[in-house]
Amino acid sequence: MSKKLIPTADLIRTQLRLMRVNAELSQEEYGKLAHFSASMVSAVELGQRPLDAVYLARADKIFKTGNLFVSLLLLAERDGEPIWFRPWLDAERVAKQLRCFEPNLIPGLLQTPAYARAILRGADDTRTEEEVESLVAARMARQAILTQEHPPQFVAVVEETALRRFANGYEKVMAEQLLHLLNMAERPHIHVHVLPSNVGLHAGLSGPFVLSRSEEGGWVGHLENQLGGSVVDRTEDVEALLGKWESVRNVALPDGQSLDLIKEIVRPWM
């Protein structure tokens, strides 16, 4: 019988506690060294508070473990994502520029927990609550790239129909999501453009895609479908996606008009 694998996050918490105990530090003493309260240290070790890069960076410094715990956090974030999606995460994390076209949903990097939870439940009604929450946590963890010290430029084109899904009892969730979208778009490196419904036929009708440009200047893409997704790195395929991106971006509304339309859509639901 095969042994059940321990989630990376649980492994991190176990090792944090073990190293603290081996160093003969109480939670209060360790908290003073790391500039956290004893209750915070306890909550992290018990799994009552999510792990984050700041907390683990201080642990690495105190225990002289290099970048070990911070690196393990990246693995923990991958645990919650489907295997087919993990190759794209590496490109996303090192991106200097991100371009996203989404005809049906709010892009994952701009989703609220409640919206993500509704989408993930709707996509597969056989998922357990634990599986859904694991996927939601992983998606929220991905969003840290947009709030880090040197975030990538993120430009999203979203079809208007994706902003008007207020039916089936999700009015509050959708309103909260659109307000969050407006708040995120206030950041100088985040740009949201709406592709209005009256555009008709356009280059993005074949489906959503994302493009990532690394610091070295190379682009890679990601395509998602009903059964999973795939990373696109062949030169001719990437060039085709860049061409599609230019086409959908050109028919989308400018920043200001896009945000005005989002405000108009959400206003009756506030």
Side-chain angles (χ1 to χ4, degrees):
M1 181 181 296
S2 60
K3 294 182 179 180
K4 186 177 179 180
L5 295 177
I6 300 174
T8 308
D10 290 346
L11 176 64
I12 294 172
R13 293 188 183 96
T14 298
Q15 291 304 311
L16 283 172
R17 182 181 183 282
L18 182 62
M19 295 189 78
R20 176 181 62 76
V21 171
N22 287 343
E24 298 183 348
L25 294 171
S26 67
Q27 290 180 338
E28 184 175 359
E29 290 168 336
Y30 175 79
K32 288 180 179 179
L33 289 174
H35 306 294
F36 291 114
S37 65
S39 60
M40 170 74 159
V41 175
S42 175
V44 170
E45 292 182 355
L46 292 173
Q48 297 169 347
R49 185 181 179 91
L51 298 166
D52 64 62
V54 173
Y55 188 96
L56 295 180
R58 292 180 186 172
D60 277 327
K61 183 176 181 180
I62 291 170
F63 297 128
K64 297 181 172 57
T65 47
N67 203 40
L68 176 62
F69 284 117
V70 172
S71 298
L72 285 174
L73 179 60
L74 297 179
L75 294 178
E77 291 170 358
R78 290 166 63 103
D79 283 352
E81 296 287 0
I83 292 175
W84 58 262
F85 193 61
R86 294 177 185 178
W88 170 251
L89 293 179
D90 295 329
E92 187 178 79
R93 286 195 184 99
V94 300
K96 300 305 291 182
Q97 292 179 304
L98 287 164
R99 304 287 183 261
C100 173
F101 169 65
E102 180 53 72
N104 302 310
L105 303 169
I106 306 301
L109 290 179
L110 299 176
Q111 292 179 4
T112 64
Y115 180 88
R117 190 173 293 112
I119 294 301
L120 290 165
R121 281 177 179 153
D124 185 352
D125 59 9
T126 67
R127 286 175 176 145
T128 65
E129 287 300 308
E130 183 179 358
E131 289 171 334
V132 169
E133 291 307 316
S134 177
L135 289 169
V136 171
R139 185 163 299 182
M140 296 303 105
R142 282 174 52 210
Q143 297 178 359
I145 66 169
L146 295 182
T147 56
Q148 62 189 1
E149 186 175 358
H150 298 291
Q153 182 196 56
F154 182 61
V155 184
V157 172
V158 183
E159 284 212 31
E160 182 180 347
T161 52
L163 307 174
R164 295 187 178 274
R165 300 188 183 280
F166 282 90
N168 302 322
Y170 288 105
E171 293 87 355
K172 182 178 179 180
V173 170
M174 197 67 202
E176 178 189 54
Q177 173 60 71
L178 294 191
L179 291 174
H180 177 69
L181 195 61
L182 290 169
N183 288 334
M184 293 299 288
E186 292 179 356
R187 298 172 183 264
H189 61 287
I190 297 176
H191 307 271
V192 177
H193 300 274
V194 177
L195 199 160
S197 301
N198 61 10
V199 167
L201 299 178
H202 58 80
L205 288 175
S206 55
F209 60 88
V210 192
L211 287 155
S212 168
R213 180 179 179 272
S214 66
E215 191 167 8
E216 291 74 27
W219 288 91
V220 296
H222 186 263
L223 300 175
E224 190 170 334
N225 55 54
Q226 289 283 352
L227 299 178
S230 59
V231 172
V232 176
D233 55 9
R234 287 201 319 164
T235 302
E236 54 267 43
D237 294 337
V238 171
E239 289 178 350
L241 284 180
L242 284 168
K244 286 181 178 293
W245 167 258
E246 290 300 324
S247 294
V248 297
R249 173 63 189 86
N250 286 338
V251 294
L253 297 174
D255 292 62
Q257 291 181 34
S258 294
L259 299 186
D260 286 343
L261 179 56
I262 296 173
K263 292 174 184 176
E264 178 185 323
I265 292 171
V266 74
R267 190 173 293 117
W269 305 97
M270 294 173 60

